[in-house]
């Protein structure tokens, strides 16, 4: 309670209006040093051609040259010394990747949660225990295993497809190059598809990874719905699907919308999984913004350009946040 | 009358079997006939197979004595050999680092990042949840934006910031702590301790991402604690701080545990920051070692030891998660519901 008494002593000196700032102070002092200061620093070096040799001295490096907004121009016009880079293609793909993921995870999660929430089904706890496993496996392991499953020669998917093809009389084993083929799949159907086969492979793998979280949130929301609502609906003769659309969905919506938005930002920045699964390949076609930023730092060592790139990501993230904040009113006061 | 007439009608065995009530409910309740139960069981099994499929792959490989990748689809182990597990525990890397050391590093890092960020976050979450003040909107946005920024985004400046703090030996019995002191010009200092290249430094860098998450998650939960409790406290003459420490904090304990554990999973698996910052093998963590094993080309992975290592890294978290599932579910939904 030492901290508490210190707080109360300070409180007498302050008007009541200062109290929230005292509660906020520890977090903001720490964040000031290790979050906001680096952010400002990042902003400053984004106007320089910061390189490995400057790492020792920071922005006081004697060899550092200030190049103004050249990094930003290079990023937008594709002027970086990097192959297959088009910022707006990566940005569009990144949004498409996040939206399509959430669009399949949320409905699947809700349906599976509803299924498991049916009163009286057997082995409920066993299934619940199994279904959360994808959440707790390290992303590196998940991605490595799925990369293996989609392998051209030994992968389970191709072997399964070969077995199916056998049934239809084909003798050739299937050798789809899931993760390395960059001509569009099914050329007669999608001749100009910007999405390579790797995108679909990653969607399948990330579906495995993503729906359990949504099911978990939906389960929690389902359990808070009062049982008598369903009993009343039963008496009124409402069918199962009517109950689902008119009771279940509206009542779990307040929990699912923030979860969907959380899932969106998670997929949008899904560094570990994307990096380990394809590394952004083939030909950077499945690269998202964060994997690209990492590549700029780790492999290409263009720190200045990477800083500018991070700043752009920040602006994108801020825009997403402000829009989603409108939807969830996350920052609205609790009583509002 | 119609109901009675129907129930007295004799039914054949099959009809009785498939309309059997399997709900287990006593008294009046919704009935789940057997055919529906079986249908649902089938669906649940299909989903369970979908979940277990990649995991069985890992388990099978970990129990194999061969380090090559299996050339045919194998979901059930043909042999049960714990050699890979033994190898992982005996000699996890080419470096002379023990398994215990790696596990301890991971454990210390994730536990302390979780605890410290929680301690700092809880009072800020309280302020955001309970007070209306002029800077509220702006400060909340300031907290949420880093949450949307991936750890990679701040890696370079954090590297520079932490790298500038060094304890050096200037020679001749003189020491200096840069950047606050420096050696005499002309002397090449010998680095004794570099904050960036230490678990402490990585922990500090990780807190930069962990703190906003903890504030966000706790704030959502504190919003659900009824205001009446605090008002009752106020009437009894409790000060704001007494309300915070004696009423709100005890009520928030379950959510503190959930937030800690959710963070713990993430930091336990975190690989990017340690990988970019640490250079000394004795500081490596389990996830870094796991990443080391995958190498640059998939074919060179020692599959059995990699799988065994994966299971060792994932198992403790998975077991705790399953045990605490109920608390985590309610913590997550309460943390998320704001609408």
């Amino acid at each position: 309670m030492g901290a508490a008494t210190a707080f109360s002593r300070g409180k007498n000196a302050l008007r009541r209006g200062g109290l929230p700032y005292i509660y906020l102070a520890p977090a903001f002092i720490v964040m000031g040093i290790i979050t906001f200061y680096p952010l400002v620093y990042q902003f400053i070096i984004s106007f320089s051609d910061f390189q490995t040799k400057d790492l020792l001295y920071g922005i006081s490096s004697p060899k550092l040259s200030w190049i103004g907004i050249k990094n930003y121009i290079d990023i937008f016009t594709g002027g970086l010394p990097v192959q297959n880079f088009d910022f707006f293609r990566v940005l569009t793909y990144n949004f498409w990747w996040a939206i399509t993921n959430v669009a399949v995870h949320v409905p699947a999660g809700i349906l599976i949660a509803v299924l498991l929430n049916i009163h009286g089904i057997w082995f409920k706890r066993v299934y619940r225990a199994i279904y959360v496993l994808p959440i707790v496996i390290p992303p590196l392991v998940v991605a490595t295993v799925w990369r293996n499953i989609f392998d051209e020669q030994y992968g389970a998917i191709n072997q399964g497809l070969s077995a199916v093809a056998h049934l239809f009389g084909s003798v050739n084993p299937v050798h789809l190059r899931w993760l390395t083929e960059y001509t569009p799949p099914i050329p007669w159907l999608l001749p100009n598809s910007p999405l390579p086969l790797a995108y679909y492979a990653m969607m399948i793998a990330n579906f495995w990874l993503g729906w359990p979280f949504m099911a978990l949130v939906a389960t929690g929301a389902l359990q808070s719905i009062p049982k008598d609502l369903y009993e009343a609906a039963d008496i009124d003769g409402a069918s199962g699907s009517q109950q689902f659309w008119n009771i279940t969905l509206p009542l779990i919506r307040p929990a699912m919308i923030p979860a969907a938005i959380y899932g969106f930002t998670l997929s949008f920045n899904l560094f570990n999984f994307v990096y380990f699964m394809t590394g952004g390949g083939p030909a950077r076609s499945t690269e998202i913004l964060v994997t690209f930023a990492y590549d700029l730092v780790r492999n290409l060592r263009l720190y200045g350009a990477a800083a500018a790139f991070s700043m752009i990501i920040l602006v994108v993230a801020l825009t997403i946040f402000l829009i989603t904040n409108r939807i969830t009113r996350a920052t609205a006061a609790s009583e509002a | 009358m119609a109901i009675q007439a129907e129930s007295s009608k004799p039914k054949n065995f099959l009809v009785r079997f498939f309309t059997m009530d399997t709900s287990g409910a006593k008294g009046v309740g919704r009935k789940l006939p057997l055919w529906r139960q079986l249908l649902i069981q089938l669906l649940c099994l299909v989903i369970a197979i979908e979940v277990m499929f990649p995991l069985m792959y890992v388990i099978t490989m970990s129990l194999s004595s061969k380090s090559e990748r299996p050339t045919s689809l194998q979901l059930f182990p043909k042999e049960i050999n714990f050699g890979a597990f033994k190898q992982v525990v005996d000699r996890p890397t080419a470096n002379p680092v023990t398994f215990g050391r790696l596990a301890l590093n991971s454990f210390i890092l994730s536990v302390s990042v979780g605890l410290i960020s929680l301690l700092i976050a809880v009072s800020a979450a309280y302020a955001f949840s309970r007070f209306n003040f002029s800077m509220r909107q702006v400060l909340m946005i300031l907290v949420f934006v880093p949450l949307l920024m991936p750890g990679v985004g701040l890696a370079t400046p954090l590297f520079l910031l932490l790298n500038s703090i060094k304890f050096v030996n200037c020679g001749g019995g003189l020491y200096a702590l840069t950047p606050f002191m420096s050696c005499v010009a002309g002397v090449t200092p010998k680095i004794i301790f570099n904050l960036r290249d230490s678990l402490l430094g990585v922990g500090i860098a990780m807190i930069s991402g962990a703190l906003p998450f903890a504030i966000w998650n706790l704030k959502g939960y504190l919003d659900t604690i009824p205001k009446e409790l605090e008002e009752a406290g106020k009437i009894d003459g409790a000060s704001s701080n007494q309300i915070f420490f004696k009423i709100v904090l005890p009520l928030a304990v379950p959510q503190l545990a959930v937030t800690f554990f959710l963070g713990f999973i993430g930091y336990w698996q975190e690989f990017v920051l340690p990988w970019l910052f640490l250079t000394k093998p004795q500081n490596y963590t389990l996830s870094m070692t796991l990443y080391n094993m995958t190498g640059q080309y998939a074919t060179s992975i020692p599959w059995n030891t990699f799988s065994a290592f994966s299971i060792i890294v994932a198992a403790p978290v998975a077991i705790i998660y399953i045990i605490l599932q109920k608390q985590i579910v309610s913590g997550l939904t309460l943390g998320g519901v704001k609408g």
Side-chain angles (χ1 to χ4, degrees), chain A residues 1 3-4 7-8 11 16 19-21 23-24 26-28 30-31 33-39 41-42 45 50 54-56 58 112 115-116 118-123 127-141 144-149 151 154-156 159 207-208 211 213 216-217 219-221 230 234 243 254-255 258 262 265 269 271-272 275-276 290 293-294 297-298 303 310 313-314 317-318 321-322 325 328-335, chain B residues 22-23 25 30 32 34 37-38 40-41 43-45 47-48 50-55 57-58 61 69-73 120 123-124 126-137 139-146 148-150 152-154 156-161 163 166 204 207-208 211-213 215-216 219 223 227 239-241 244-246 265 269 271-272 275-276 287 290-291 294 298 301 303 306 310 313-314 317-318 321-322 325 329 332-333 336-339:
Chain A
M1 294 308 286
F7 268 142
S8 1
K11 199 198 103 190
R16 167 125 178 94
L19 196 62
Y21 298 102
Y23 279 112
L24 288 174
F28 274 86
V30 172
M31 284 182 77
I33 301 169
I34 60 176
T35 309
F36 302 130
Y37 170 73
L39 210 58
Y41 203 94
Q42 185 87 302
I45 63 174
F50 205 93
D54 306 308
L55 276 179
L56 199 58
I112 291 166
L115 186 72
L116 260 194
I118 292 172
H119 186 66
I121 71 162
W122 302 329
F123 316 122
Y127 290 129
R128 288 225 168 106
I130 292 175
Y131 292 177
V132 296
L133 287 175
I135 300 177
V136 290
I137 310 293
L140 167 64
V141 176
T144 310
V145 170
W146 278 99
R147 204 172 63 196
N148 214 1
I149 289 172
D151 187 78
Y154 308 115
Q159 289 189 20
F207 176 74
W208 180 87
W211 71 256
F213 173 77
L216 204 61
V217 177
T219 302
Y230 291 106
D234 262 342
Q243 292 183 12
Y262 181 61
T265 53
N269 290 329
F271 173 79
N272 286 313
Y275 183 72
F276 296 131
V290 279
Y294 181 78
V297 171
R298 178 73 195 173
Y303 297 95
S310 301
I313 296 180
L314 187 68
L318 188 65
F321 171 73
L322 290 175
N325 189 31
T328 56
R329 298 160 54 88
T331 61
S334 55
E335 65 268 44
Chain B
T22 62
S23 69
R30 297 211 291 157
L32 189 63
L34 189 67
Q37 173 78 268
L38 292 177
I40 293 166
Q41 288 295 322
L43 266 171
C44 288
L45 263 179
I47 300 165
E50 188 252 358
V51 170
M52 287 309 291
F53 173 70
L55 301 179
Y57 215 66
V58 177
M61 282 193 292
R69 169 156 56 175
T71 50
S72 63
L73 182 55
I120 305 171
S123 73
Y126 179 69
F128 281 135
S129 169
R130 283 302 195 264
F131 295 102
N132 260 321
F133 47 98
S134 50
M135 293 285 283
R136 189 167 180 279
Q137 289 282 329
L139 292 180
M140 278 199 82
I141 290 172
L142 272 181
V143 170
F144 283 117
V145 168
L148 301 168
M149 255 313 250
V152 188
L154 285 182
T156 313
L158 278 170
F159 184 101
L160 289 168
L161 173 68
N163 202 34
K166 291 179 192 127
I204 292 173
I207 287 175
S208 127
L211 192 55
F213 171 78
I215 298 178
W216 177 78
K219 187 250 168 201
D223 283 349
K227 279 226 142 155
S239 72
S240 290
N241 295 313
F244 175 62
F245 283 99
K246 291 194 172 151
I265 300 175
Q269 300 170 352
F271 128 91
V272 175
W275 185 254
L276 287 174
S287 342
L290 196 58
Y291 179 69
T294 60
I301 302 177
W303 285 102
F306 174 79
S310 309
V313 173
V317 185
Y321 206 102
I322 290 167
Q325 201 183 355
V329 169
L332 264 178
T333 33
V337 179
K338 291 182 201 82

Side-chain angles (χ1 to χ4, degrees), chain B residues 86-98:
Chain B
K86 194 172 174 302
Q87 198 190 330
V88 166
V89 177
D90 284 351
R91 193 178 163 77
T93 63
N95 297 313
V97 184
T98 62

